[in-house]
Amino acid sequence: MLDAAVKALSQMMSPSMRSILWRSIGLALVLITVLAIGLQRLLSWFATYGEAWLEGLLGPGWHSSLEVLSWIVSIAAGLGVVFGGVFLMPAITSLVASLFVDDVADIVEREHYPAERPGVALPFSQAIYEGVKTALLTILVYLIALPLVLFAGAGFLIFFLAAAWLLGREYFELAAMRFRPPEEAKAMRRDNAATIFTAGLFIAAFVSIPIVNLATPIFGMAFMVHMHKRLSGPRPELIEPARQMR
């Protein structure tokens, strides 16, 4: 697993990968800016008007609880662009990865596994669906963890572990679906859940590093291409022709 991570890191700045890297970084910057500003405005609305609306919906018995929630949301709104950018990065990278999955995988497979049958590009709609689904799940986890961020860092830990599970799951399935039907790829991910979650911790750690995390789609996809190859086991087509003849 460490070897796969090192290979993914070393290939990120290679000439063949550089164009994809800059395009993914540019797209990630645009998306993170738009979503972070949108989140800040949503939280500001809730802190200003949402408390009264919810109290009218739930009843006066919720007044104290909603006041506390409004106070937390007010703080979050003030930091929305900064912390929103940090917490929403896993969601952003999921969307970006869905657009560049085949570009990255093709390069990794061609340079590291030239003797093996290349993967088949995912249908665009399938890749986008997987990316959007993971992005929405990540945002949901962010909203759940947000109130806990102020208490002993519990929210950060919850979000880190959830990001590891979500990102590991998405990147592995994207890599596996180039060689397997979706249901078979998901079944393989479930059969190797512990290994893939551990690999997801590498991606979650990478996405936690400011600025560097803009390159997460490249690292995550390259990393999981290697992990899928390892979990698939030895294949006859990988044996060198000279050895096959013996």
Side-chain angles (χ1 to χ4, degrees):
M1 189 176 298
L2 184 59
D3 176 63
V6 171
K7 285 181 177 178
L9 285 170
S10 64
Q11 195 171 17
M12 282 174 53
M13 290 302 296
S14 65
S16 57
M17 199 76 80
R18 205 168 294 153
S19 172
I20 305 171
L21 177 63
W22 295 128
R23 281 184 286 151
S24 68
I25 287 175
L27 180 58
L29 284 172
V30 171
L31 290 176
I32 199 66
T33 301
V34 171
L35 286 181
I37 292 174
L39 177 66
Q40 190 272 338
R41 292 186 176 179
L42 176 64
L43 294 175
S44 295
W45 173 87
F46 181 83
T48 307
Y49 305 106
E51 180 187 357
W53 177 76
L54 279 177
E55 187 172 338
L57 183 67
L58 299 173
W62 287 83
H63 178 74
S64 298
S65 298
L66 290 174
E67 272 196 339
V68 173
L69 180 59
S70 179
W71 174 72
I72 293 173
V73 170
S74 296
I75 296 174
L79 301 172
V81 174
V82 177
F83 282 101
V86 173
F87 277 101
L88 289 174
M89 187 55 74
I92 296 300
T93 61
S94 298
L95 288 172
V96 175
S98 67
L99 297 175
F100 296 104
V101 50
D102 291 306
D103 293 336
V104 175
D106 283 341
I107 293 173
V108 175
E109 291 167 11
R110 185 169 61 248
E111 294 188 6
H112 289 277
Y113 308 95
E116 187 174 352
R117 174 178 62 87
V120 177
L122 294 178
F124 182 74
S125 59
Q126 178 73 36
I128 290 295
Y129 169 75
E130 295 296 332
V132 171
K133 179 180 67 175
T134 303
L136 292 176
L137 283 172
T138 305
I139 292 173
L140 177 62
V141 170
Y142 165 64
L143 293 174
I144 292 172
L146 181 62
L148 301 174
V149 170
L150 301 176
F151 301 101
F156 289 106
L157 179 60
I158 292 170
F159 192 77
F160 180 81
L161 295 176
W165 180 73
L166 288 167
L167 295 178
R169 166 181 168 156
E170 188 209 8
Y171 283 106
F172 181 81
E173 288 183 359
L174 287 174
M177 282 190 287
R178 287 172 52 80
F179 295 91
R180 308 165 187 272
E183 289 307 313
E184 185 179 332
K186 294 177 189 295
M188 184 181 186
R189 187 258 306 163
R190 290 191 293 269
D191 292 342
N192 297 276
T195 300
I196 293 168
F197 173 73
T198 304
L201 292 173
F202 283 78
I203 303 175
F206 192 95
V207 84
S208 300
I209 305 172
I211 300 178
V212 173
N213 55 12
L214 292 169
T216 303
I218 309 300
F219 169 73
M221 196 62 221
F223 179 40
M224 282 304 185
V225 167
H226 290 299
M227 291 303 301
H228 174 256
K229 296 292 186 183
R230 283 157 173 71
L231 291 174
S232 295
R235 295 170 178 263
E237 61 266 34
L238 291 178
I239 302 176
E240 296 174 5
R243 293 179 58 189
Q244 288 185 9
M245 296 174 58
R246 292 177 183 177

